Structures are given as structure tokens and as C-alpha cells.
């Protein structure tokens, strides 16, 4: 009897988490394909390198996941990453003593711009696409004005350690940072009242409002988190690239949305979570890595990226239709 | 009659702001009013007008097209890759092949979105990546050329009137008529207003939506072709900025992103506002870096005004600003 219940629980778990299971199976399959096309793909160092690249995308996608869960979207992550990257190098200027306050200021700045987007989206009822677009344009301008179009400065050795260093020469620090942030945000989304409110708003905003949730406040906070995580990712990228680069964030607007969608979070909000996004980020970076290894040009990589998104959403949506 | 009043209410803010900015520019720099400068301006805003129209059609149904930049890039590259010696056959090919390709790209978008029932945002994001990949296969670096007679016709002037002005006015009028006078156009508004009700009242929603994306691709192709004739070559990445700019122009010109409200009549004003900001900052000798800040601020301002539902009725303005308790119906819209 008890085994029956246990079995049905396991079956239930598999049924509920089938998207995530599918994604992690896909990751393993991709790693194996990588090993087949190029020997050494499954080496520990290479796996770490893939995960290290994925961790930047993963950190950006934290905020994107939360914004999309409320039923919105954040297109200002790209400019915010660039801002974080450029300003970090400017503030730190190669000195370890500047690192801490620079990181704090960067996160606060990111949160501030996210807050501005949130105000527009929540209180003025402006469509999130255009509001974050406008804020993104604003942030790009501010970055250019303060850097005069030629970013200066250097990352400090502490930041470089976080970006490219390894713990005991074994485990990359940046992956550890990603794991800590992931655990925190998965707990925040699943086990805190704030997290539950985000899901409620995404599922049905009117009902959430009528049941006493301060929907506008929660939405504003969600966008603030998104801004902060994008700016933090930009700052950490400075540790990876060592110097600032003005176009660094451009690719991440679409990539972060793709990671969230591949991870099974519904674009209408209310369904999904950060765990799937982690898989989405790893899949995107893995695909890029495999295609680079077999020397597919830029053109082919873009087509493959688009194709994988289309294939995965067609799988998700056909599942949903069967349920109906 | 009522619809006309509604339209006026939509377009008066756009054109009054555009004219105000235009006059402001002329005061800073008197040569701004010269006919040569205006000819130049008409040519510069033409691709933006086509891209804005393309986006407007999609937004009116409640969707969004993020692949428009890639369609512009692809047709731009195609138009400049065709044989460019001045022969009638080549010119006919130039006129027909890129629009057909753009139309089919759009139809592919529409088919996936409406037959699959997937969100337009992510579908056009994915197809945009695919189209851009195809573009980079055809032409990895800027190059190509266009027939000289085409380039002269498209960017030239006739009796001092720039051909670009005539081109975009004709197309604006045609697509305005399509929206307002045809069954197809009315169906677009109905779907944007409420798709379920539109479906219930017998409108073939999925067919209309497929063709809306087709029209969007076609208009994107016109933008790409115009760019190729104007810069006399092609650049595979030329469409990038048009993704966001086209959305911005559509929104500034009074089209609501929720769908069902707006039209193409305001687009000249929207494109002017967007373009004149750069122009004025250049005239004032301010660094181009401030353009991004100015564009962002103008967009936020325009959105704030349109979302607060501006009218010229003082009482209702006061009410929107000072009324603390909002009716429940407005929440979550």
C-alpha cells in the first residue's frame, strides 16, 4: 500500500517536472554529442568552461525569469549589463580596495533603473516591452555619456579571481556564485510569500489585487530585482574580460529571454520557475559551444539557436494542448 | 463621424509634438527650413516609416514582430545581391524578388504563430535569428550593389519633390485604406480588440493573422529595398536598430500595444519625432551619446501621456492626475 502511494508520488513528481527532466536529459545528450564530434568535450575542464560561460547568462536570467513570471518582460537587461560592466571597471580602476563598494553601487544602480521600469509598468500601466525598451535606451545613453564612448579602467584582482579563478584550482568561483544565487532565488520564488505573490500576479493579476496583494509594489520590486541581477552580471563579466566592452550586453537581451522560455516558463506569466531557466542557459551555451567546435560559422549558429527555440516551444505547447 | 473624431484625438498629439520639435529645430538652425534639408529628411525617415507600418499592422492584432529587423536585413542583402546592370529584366527582378521573399518570411511567421498558437514574441525572436543566419550566409560582410537607375529613381527628385516622399505617401495611403475600408482591415481591429469575440462573430482569425504577418514582412521588404537603393549597397546587420525603433515609432504614433487601437496615419509624425531628436542634438552640438537618453525620455513621456489617456478636456485631465481611487476595472489591464 505504502509503496503504491510512494510510486504514485514519484509518478506525480515525474509528471509535474517532466519539462525539467526533459531539459536535463537534453543537456546530457548534448554533452555526449559534443564528445562524439570532438574528443575532450566531456573533460572536467571543458565542462567547467561551459558552465562558467553559462553562469553569466544564468545570473542575468534570474531577473528575466522573475519579470516574465509576473507576466512582463525586461528588455533593458542588455544595456544594464553593459552599464554594470563599464562602470565596474571605471569605479574599481584595478584596485582591490574599491571592489566592494563598486559592486554595491552597481547593484543599487541596476536596481534603481529596474525600479524606474517597474514604476512605469505597474503604476502607469505602460506595456513592459516598451517601458523597458525606453529605460534601456536611457541606460545606454548614460553609459556612453559617463564613459565618453571609450571605457577605461581595469578589474581588480579580487574580481578577476571571481570571474576566472578556481577554488583550490578545482572549482570555478563564478559557478559557486551562480549556485548560491540560484539556491537563494529558487527558495525566494517557491517558499516565500513574495515569491508566491509573483506567481499569483502572473496567473491572474486582477484576482491577486482583489485578494489583497499589493500588485503594483510586487511588480516594481520584481523589475528592481531584474535590474540588479543584470547589473551584477555585467560587473562579474568585468572580472572575466578584465576590461570593459561597450557591446557586451547586446546579445543577452534575446539570450536571457530564450533561456527563460527554453526553461519552460510561460511568457504569459505565472507558470515555470528558475530551475528550468538554469537548464535553458546551459543548453544555449552548450549549443554555441558544440557549433563552435565543429566550426559552424556565425550564420549557422544563429539558425541553430532559432531552430532550437522553435522546436522546444512547439513541444511545450503541444503538451499543453493534450491536457486541454 | 465618431470614428473621425476618435482618429483626430489619436493623431493630434503626435503631429503637434512633431511640428513643435520641427519649429524648435528651425529656430536653433534657420537652414533647417531649407528645402534641401527637408528633402534629405524625407529620404532619411522613409525606411523608418515602412518599418513602423509593418510593426503597426502586427501590433494592431495584439501581436509583436521582433523579426522585422532580420527581414529588413535579408531583403536589403537580397536587393543588393541581384544582378545590378541596368537591364529591364534585372529591374523587374529587383522590384519583385525581395518583396516576395519578405512576404513569404512574414507568412512563415504568421503560420507558426496562428497554427501553433505560440506567443508572437518568442516565435518572431526565433525566426528572426534564423532569418539573420540566412542573411549572414548570403552576405557575411557589407557589400553588393544596386542598379544605378533604380537608385536614382528611388532617392532622386521630380520637379524638386523627392521621390521618397511620393513613395511613402502612396504606400501610407494604400495601407490606410486597407486598414479602414476593407474587410481585412476591419478584421484586424476586431481581432486586436477581442480575439474571442472576433472569432465568435465569424471572422477567420487565424487566416487574418497569417496575412497580417505577411503584410508586415512585405513592408519590411520595402524598407530593406529602400535602404539598399539609398546606401547603394547592403549591410547584413542594417536591420538591428529597426526592431526597437519600429516599435517605438508605432507606439509614439498612437497605436496601443494591447491591440485594436491606432493606425498608420500617425506614423509620419512618429518617425519625424524620432528622427528630429537626433537632428536637433546634432544642431545643438551635443554629443551623440545624449541621443539615447533623449530617445528614452521621449518614449517614456509619450507612453505616459498615451497611457493616461490625454484629451483636451481640462476636467478629465484634472481627474486623471488627482483622482486617487481608480475604478477596479482598470486594474490589470
Amino acid at each position: 500500500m505504502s509503496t503504491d502511494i510512494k510510486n504514485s508520488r514519484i509518478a506525480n513528481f515525474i509528471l509535474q517536472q517532466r519539462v525539467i527532466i526533459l531539459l536535463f536529459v537534453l543537456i546530457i545528450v548534448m554533452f555526449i554529442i559534443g564528445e562524439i564530434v570532438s574528443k575532450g568535450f566531456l573533460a572536467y575542464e571543458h565542462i567547467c568552461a561551459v558552465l562558467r560561460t553559462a553562469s553569466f547568462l544564468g545570473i542575468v536570467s534570474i531577473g528575466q525569469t522573475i519579470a516574465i513570471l509576473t507576466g512582463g518582460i525586461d528588455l533593458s537587461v542588455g544595456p544594464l549589463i553593459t552599464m554594470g560592466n563599464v562602470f565596474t571597471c571605471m569605479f574599481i580602476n584595478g584596485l582591490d580596495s574599491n571592489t566592494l563598494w563598486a559592486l554595491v553601487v552597481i547593484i543599487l544602480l541596476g536596481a534603481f533603473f529596474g525600479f524606474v521600469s517597474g514604476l512605469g509598468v505597474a503604476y502607469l500601466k505602460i506595456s513592459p516591452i516598451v517601458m523597458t525598451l525606453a529605460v534601456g535606451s536611457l541606460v545606454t545613453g548614460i553609459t556612453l555619456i559617463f564613459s565618453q564612448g571609450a571605457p577605461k579602467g581595469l578589474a581588480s584582482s579580487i574580481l578577476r579571481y571571481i570571474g576566472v579563478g578556481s577554488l583550490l584550482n578545482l572549482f570555478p568561483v563564478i559557478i559557486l556564485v551562480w549556485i548560491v544565487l540560484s539556491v537563494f532565488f529558487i527558495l525566494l520564488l517557491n517558499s516565500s510569500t513574495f515569491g508566491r505573490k509573483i506567481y499569483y500576479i502572473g496567473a491572474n493579476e486582477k484576482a491577486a489585487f482583489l485578494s489583497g496583494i499589493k500588485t503594483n509594489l510586487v511588480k516594481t520590486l520584481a523589475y528592481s530585482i531584474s535590474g540588479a541581477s543584470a547589473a551584477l552580471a555585467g560587473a562579474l563579466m568585468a572580472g572575466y574580460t578584465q576590461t570593459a566592452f561597450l557591446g557586451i550586453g547586446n546579445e543577452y537581451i534575446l539570450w536571457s529571454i530564450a533561456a527563460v522560455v527554453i526553461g519552460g516558463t510561460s511568457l504569459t506569466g505565472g507558470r515555470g520557475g528558475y530551475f528550468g531557466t538554469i537548464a535553458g542557459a546551459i543548453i544555449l551555451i552548450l549549443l554555441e559551444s558544440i557549433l563552435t567546435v565543429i566550426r559552424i560559422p556565425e550564420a549557422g549558429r544563429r539558425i541553430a539557436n532559432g531552430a532550437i527555440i522553435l522546436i522546444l516551444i512547439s513541444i511545450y505547447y503541444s503538451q499543453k494542448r493534450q491536457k486541454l | 463621424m465618431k470614428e473621425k473624431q476618435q482618429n483626430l484625438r489619436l493623431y493630434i498629439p503626435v503631429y503637434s509634438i512633431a511640428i513643435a520639435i520641427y519649429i524648435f529645430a528651425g529656430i536653433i538652425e534657420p537652414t533647417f527650413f531649407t528645402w534641401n534639408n527637408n528633402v534629405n529628411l524625407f529620404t532619411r525617415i522613409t525606411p523608418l516609416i515602412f518599418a513602423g507600418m509593418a510593426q503597426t499592422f502586427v501590433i494592431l492584432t495584439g501581436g509583436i514582430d521582433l523579426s522585422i529587423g532580420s527581414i529588413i536585413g535579408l531583403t536589403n542583402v537580397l536587393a543588393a545581391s541581384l544582378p545590378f546592370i541596368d537591364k529591364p529584366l534585372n529591374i523587374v527582378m529587383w522590384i519583385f524578388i525581395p518583396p516576395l521573399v519578405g512576404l513569404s518570411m512574414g507568412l512563415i511567421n504568421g503560420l507558426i504563430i496562428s497554427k501553433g498558437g505560440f506567443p508572437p514574441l518568442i516565435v518572431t525572436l526565433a525566426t528572426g535569428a534564423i532569418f539573420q543566419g540566412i542573411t549572414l550566409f548570403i552576405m557575411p560582410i557589407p557589400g553588393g550593389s544596386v542598379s544605378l537607375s533604380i537608385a536614382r529613381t528611388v532617392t532622386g527628385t521630380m520637379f524638386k519633390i523627392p521621390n521618397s516622399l511620393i513613395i511613402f505617401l502612396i504606400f501610407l495611403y494604400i495601407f490606410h485604406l486597407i486598414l479602414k475600408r476593407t474587410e481585412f482591415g476591419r478584421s484586424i481591429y476586431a481581432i486586436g480588440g477581442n480575439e474571442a469575440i472576433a472569432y465568435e462573430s465569424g471572422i477567420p482569425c487565424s487566416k487574418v493573422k497569417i496575412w497580417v504577418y505577411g503584410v508586415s514582412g512585405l513592408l519590411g521588404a520595402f524598407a530593406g529595398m529602400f535602404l539598399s537603393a539609398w546606401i547603394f549597397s547592403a549591410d547584413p546587420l542594417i536591420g538591428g536598430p529597426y526592431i526597437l525603433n519600429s516599435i517605438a515609432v508605432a507606439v509614439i504614433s498612437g497605436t496601443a500595444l494591447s491591440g485594436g487601437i491606432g493606425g498608420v496615419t500617425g506614423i509620419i509624425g512618429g518617425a519625424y519625432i524620432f528622427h528630429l531628436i537626433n537632428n536637433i542634438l546634432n544642431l545643438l552640438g551635443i554629443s551623440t551619446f545624449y541621443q539615447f537618453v533623449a530617445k528614452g525620455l521621449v518614449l517614456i513621456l509619450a507612453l505616459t501621456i498615451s497611457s493616461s489617456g490625454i484629451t483636451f478636456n481640462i476636467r478629465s485631465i484634472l481627474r486623471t492626475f488627482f483622482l486617487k481611487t481608480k475604478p477596479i476595472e482598470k486594474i490589470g489591464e
Side-chain angles (χ1 to χ4, degrees), chain A residues 73 124 133 137 254 299 302 321, chain B residues 116 121 125 132-133 244 292 307:
Chain A
I73 199 158
L124 294 172
L133 196 66
S137 177
L254 304 190
R302 283 184 198 232
R321 237 189 258 156
Chain B
L121 185 90
L125 190 69
Q132 181 144 51
L244 307 186
F292 294 97
S307 78

Side-chain angles (χ1 to χ4, degrees), chain A residues 214-267:
Chain A
K214 289 183 179 121
T215 50
N216 288 346
L217 184 69
V218 174
K219 272 165 92 176
T220 313
L221 283 177
Y223 282 93
S224 309
I225 294 174
S226 178
S229 72
L232 174 67
L236 294 175
M237 277 175 207
Y240 187 66
T241 56
Q242 318 225 349
T243 50
F245 167 49
L246 274 175
I248 199 161
N250 295 349
E251 292 284 319
Y252 282 86
I253 305 175
L254 304 190
W255 275 27
S256 63
I257 300 171
V260 174
V261 171
I262 290 175
T265 299
S266 154
L267 268 176

Side-chain angles (χ1 to χ4, degrees), chain B residues 194-333:
Chain B
N194 189 332
E195 195 172 340
I197 292 176
Y199 183 77
E200 295 288 317
S201 34
I203 292 169
C205 288
S206 68
K207 204 170 138 194
V208 171
K209 270 163 86 179
I210 293 171
W211 280 102
V212 161
Y213 284 92
V215 167
S216 166
L218 182 70
L219 285 164
F222 290 147
M225 287 160 73
F226 186 87
L227 280 168
S228 77
W230 180 34
I231 63 176
F232 210 61
S233 65
D235 178 354
L237 300 176
I238 203 164
Y242 284 95
I243 305 173
L244 307 186
N245 287 357
S246 66
I247 300 174
V249 166
V251 170
I252 292 176
S253 61
T255 302
L257 269 163
S258 47
I261 302 169
V264 293
T265 331
I267 281 181
I268 301 178
Y272 250 89
I273 293 174
F274 221 64
H275 196 80
L276 284 179
I277 295 167
N278 288 354
N279 239 315
I280 287 179
L281 291 175
N282 285 340
L283 289 175
L284 287 172
I286 295 172
S287 144
T288 47
F289 303 148
Y290 286 88
Q291 286 175 8
F292 294 97
V293 177
K295 273 184 187 171
L297 288 178
V298 166
L299 201 52
I300 293 174
L301 197 72
L303 290 164
T304 313
I305 291 170
S306 69
S307 78
S308 62
I310 195 163
T311 53
F312 291 93
N313 184 340
I314 305 257
R315 259 173 67 196
S316 71
I317 290 174
L318 289 177
R319 205 184 298 147
T320 40
F321 277 97
F322 293 104
L323 202 65
K324 286 277 187 283
T325 50
K326 283 185 179 144
I328 281 171
E329 286 83 36
K330 280 202 94 176
I331 282 116
E333 267 172 8

Side-chain angles (χ1 to χ4, degrees), chain B residues 120-204:
Chain B
L121 185 90
I122 194 74
V123 170
T124 52
L125 190 69
T127 53
I130 294 173
F131 298 156
Q132 181 144 51
I134 297 170
T135 313
L136 286 171
F137 259 127
I138 300 173
M139 193 185 278
I141 47 165
S145 188
V146 179
S147 149
L148 195 63
S149 56
I150 290 171
R152 277 202 184 125
T153 322
V154 171
T155 55
T157 55
M158 197 164 53
F159 308 118
K160 283 201 155 188
I161 296 168
N163 293 342
S164 55
L165 174 71
I166 298 167
I167 293 170
F168 76 67
L169 280 182
I170 290 174
F171 277 104
L172 267 175
Y173 189 63
I174 292 172
F175 283 94
H176 173 71
L177 286 186
I178 290 177
L179 274 181
K180 298 289 175 185
R181 296 273 180 278
T182 67
E183 208 182 305
F184 175 64
R186 306 310 306 178
S187 312
I188 292 175
Y189 282 97
I191 291 174
N194 189 332
E195 195 172 340
I197 292 176
Y199 183 77
E200 295 288 317
S201 34
I203 292 169

